Amino acid sequence: AADKAIADGKAGPLTGLPIAVKDIFCTEGVKTSCGSKMLDNFIAPYESTATQRLKDAGFVTLGKTNLDEFAMGSSTETSYYGATRNPWNTDAVPGGSSGGSAVAVAAGMAPAALGTDTGGSIRQPAAFCGITGLKPTYGRVSRWGMVAFGSSLDQGGPMTQTAEDAAMIMNTIAGFDPRDSTSMDQPTVDYTATLDQPLNGLKIGLPKEYFGEALDDGIRQAIMEAVKQFESLGATVKEISLPRTELSIPAYYIIAPAEASTNLSRFDGVKFGYRCDNPTDLMDMYTRTRSEGFGAEVKRRIMVGTYALSAGYYDAYYRKAQQLRRLIKQDFQAALADVDVIMGPATPSTAWNIGEKTQDPVAMYMEDIYTLSVNLAGLPGMSIPCGFKDGMPVGLQVIGNYFDEARLLNIGHQFQRATDWHSRKPNV
């Protein structure tokens, strides 16, 4: 179809470009599994808004990419189909939950991919795999047709080699969707129009909480070298404080499982997806379908979320977490009133080995310390490659104000014009 459009002179600027899609976006007539046994036999009967907009622009979908089951994980190890491997070191994880999309781009299988970010699931794998990953403002990209994990946190976005490529994808997928009740009715901009603007006068804030003992020294050095590069491009830097950063993990791991518990209640063996064999009655069907269809991490989060929402515990846990969320958002608003963007590490360490943290969920959760708060506040965030530690990529996180994706992409593009970290390729 793309060849015909080109031959007929009807092609757009993006016609025929290949893209990979995280297997959490519904794609009509194609299996949408969410990396789960529960949906191993589910053929989506409709197309998500994001993928439909890509189709309408002429993109060609190469295939669906692996992910942590229902996007719950930080390493793409919880998938029903097995772990995904990092192309920089195939013994290491690629991050998660959008690990398959990150690997597809990093290994040169696709020039771009779609991912989703609920607590860092675009930015963290982008950092681990040495690519560019943008989590837009909450509501900037339609969630319609994107299987829900945490409805107040989920956001789709581009994963690409460069910020310029991400801008082109954003031009395609961003915008209001009346079918999505969480979609923001805000005008979109041409994200490529401001890429070449100089960074003179840009005010960068470095949160002191992001540079504590938890941060690997090699990553700290790479981040500070990147900051020096921005200073040479005309930016100014000052230390700021996000005092409630450490509260983002307990707040997130109450809110996200609570929303997951509600969203995943629809998978009961009645309408679609997996159903247990020969149930004796309705309760047996519900119980065995969910016990057999969900993996350990998904079950863990459903249990935590159901407990947090239960009578007698709602006020103690869920309400309190939402109050913390408001305070975290206020910290960002206060900081962004004083600086243009916030910079720091995307992750406290580089990619760990497959199996290293699977028996310690809390250690896995701690790896999201720098990304979770951005989702809780609904802000846009981006990870761009800025160096290496022991041969593994390091990601610089850039956080902006609401609907300020164009500025983030401009910052990323100017950095990538001055450095070559984004152009380095693994030996695959």
Side-chain angles (χ1 to χ4, degrees):
D3 286 343
K4 187 176 186 307
I6 293 167
D8 293 344
K10 298 178 181 178
L14 305 176
T15 298
L17 285 175
I19 193 165
V21 175
K22 183 178 182 178
D23 199 16
I24 202 167
F25 289 92
C26 286
T27 44
E28 186 176 4
V30 179
K31 184 165 81 171
T32 300
S33 73
C34 298
S36 178
K37 179 180 180 180
M38 186 65 81
L39 291 177
D40 184 48
N41 63 356
F42 177 64
I43 307 296
Y46 67 101
E47 193 79 25
S48 75
T49 296
T51 53
Q52 186 62 57
R53 287 176 174 173
L54 290 170
K55 281 188 173 183
D56 293 343
F59 279 91
V60 178
T61 301
L62 294 176
K64 310 291 281 290
T65 60
N66 199 20
L67 68 155
D68 282 299
E69 185 181 8
F70 284 103
M72 298 182 195
S74 303
S75 63
T76 317
E77 292 175 281
T78 69
S79 171
Y80 173 60
Y81 306 104
T84 299
R85 296 176 178 272
N86 193 314
W88 291 93
N89 174 2
T90 54
D91 290 329
V93 301
S97 61
S98 306
S101 288
V103 168
V105 175
M109 300 174 190
L114 273 192
T116 63
D117 193 310
T118 305
S121 291
I122 286 175
R123 290 160 290 153
Q124 187 245 28
F128 279 8
C129 294
I131 65 168
T132 299
L134 174 68
K135 172 225 169 292
T137 304
Y138 179 75
R140 178 77 290 184
V141 174
S142 173
R143 294 175 51 249
W144 196 81
M146 193 177 92
V147 179
F149 161 18
S151 299
S152 72
L153 300 159
D154 298 340
Q155 185 55 211
M159 304 179 77
T160 56
Q161 288 286 357
T162 68
E164 184 177 16
D165 290 350
M168 288 191 284
I169 303 292
M170 279 296 291
N171 279 349
T172 304
I173 62 175
F176 176 63
D177 179 8
R179 295 176 296 185
D180 174 11
S181 63
T182 63
S183 179
M184 299 295 287
D185 192 0
Q186 290 270 348
T188 55
V189 300
D190 179 355
Y191 293 99
T192 62
T194 55
L195 289 175
D196 292 329
Q197 287 185 355
L199 301 184
N200 293 330
L202 178 73
K203 291 184 285 188
I204 297 171
L206 300 181
K208 61 183 181 181
E209 292 80 8
Y210 285 19
F211 294 88
E213 292 181 3
L215 182 62
D216 180 277
D217 287 339
I219 292 180
R220 187 195 315 273
Q221 182 177 346
I223 297 299
M224 295 315 296
E225 288 295 325
V227 170
K228 288 179 184 177
Q229 181 68 58
F230 280 108
E231 287 181 307
S232 73
L233 294 172
T236 58
V237 178
K238 65 177 295 185
E239 184 179 84
I240 61 170
S241 179
L242 296 172
R244 297 178 181 91
T245 294
E246 65 179 17
L247 298 178
S248 62
I249 288 181
Y252 176 89
Y253 282 103
I254 291 295
I255 294 168
E259 295 182 2
S261 168
T262 302
N263 281 322
L264 270 61
S265 64
R266 71 193 69 180
F267 302 109
D268 55 12
V270 176
K271 297 184 182 69
F272 51 81
Y274 176 78
R275 179 184 292 180
C276 69
D277 292 332
N278 304 314
T280 57
D281 56 28
L282 188 63
M283 184 55 70
D284 182 52
M285 185 189 74
Y286 286 158
T287 303
R288 287 204 290 123
T289 292
R290 291 170 66 79
S291 295
E292 296 167 14
F294 290 135
E297 182 62 26
V298 172
K299 291 176 188 174
R300 184 180 296 117
R301 298 199 192 194
I302 289 173
M303 292 294 288
V304 169
T306 303
Y307 180 82
L309 292 176
S310 61
Y313 296 99
Y314 176 91
D315 287 334
Y317 294 104
Y318 187 74
R319 185 189 298 275
K320 186 63 67 177
Q322 291 287 21
Q323 291 170 337
L324 289 178
R325 181 181 196 170
R326 175 175 51 81
L327 295 173
I328 290 166
K329 177 181 176 181
Q330 288 174 351
D331 285 349
F332 276 113
Q333 289 175 321
L336 289 167
D338 198 29
V339 297
D340 297 319
V341 293
I342 296 167
M343 286 188 186
T347 59
S349 67
T350 53
W352 58 88
N353 285 341
I354 290 173
E356 187 177 326
K357 297 182 187 289
T358 51
Q359 301 306 311
D360 190 350
V362 175
M364 190 91 75
Y365 298 164
M366 292 300 292
E367 291 292 329
D368 298 329
I369 181 68
Y370 304 130
T371 55
L372 295 178
S373 55
V374 179
N375 296 78
L376 291 168
L379 293 165
M382 179 175 67
S383 176
I384 54 176
C386 70
F388 288 85
K389 159 75 188 309
D390 296 332
M392 297 301 287
V394 174
L396 170 73
Q397 182 173 211
V398 189
I399 303 165
N401 221 326
Y402 297 104
F403 303 104
D404 213 4
E405 290 85 2
R407 191 200 293 264
L408 298 188
L409 292 164
N410 162 233
I411 290 168
H413 181 62
Q414 291 300 310
F415 181 75
Q416 289 171 348
R417 288 180 64 179
T419 63
D420 71 345
W421 302 116
H422 63 286
S423 65
R424 303 195 187 187
K425 304 288 193 295
N427 295 319
V428 293

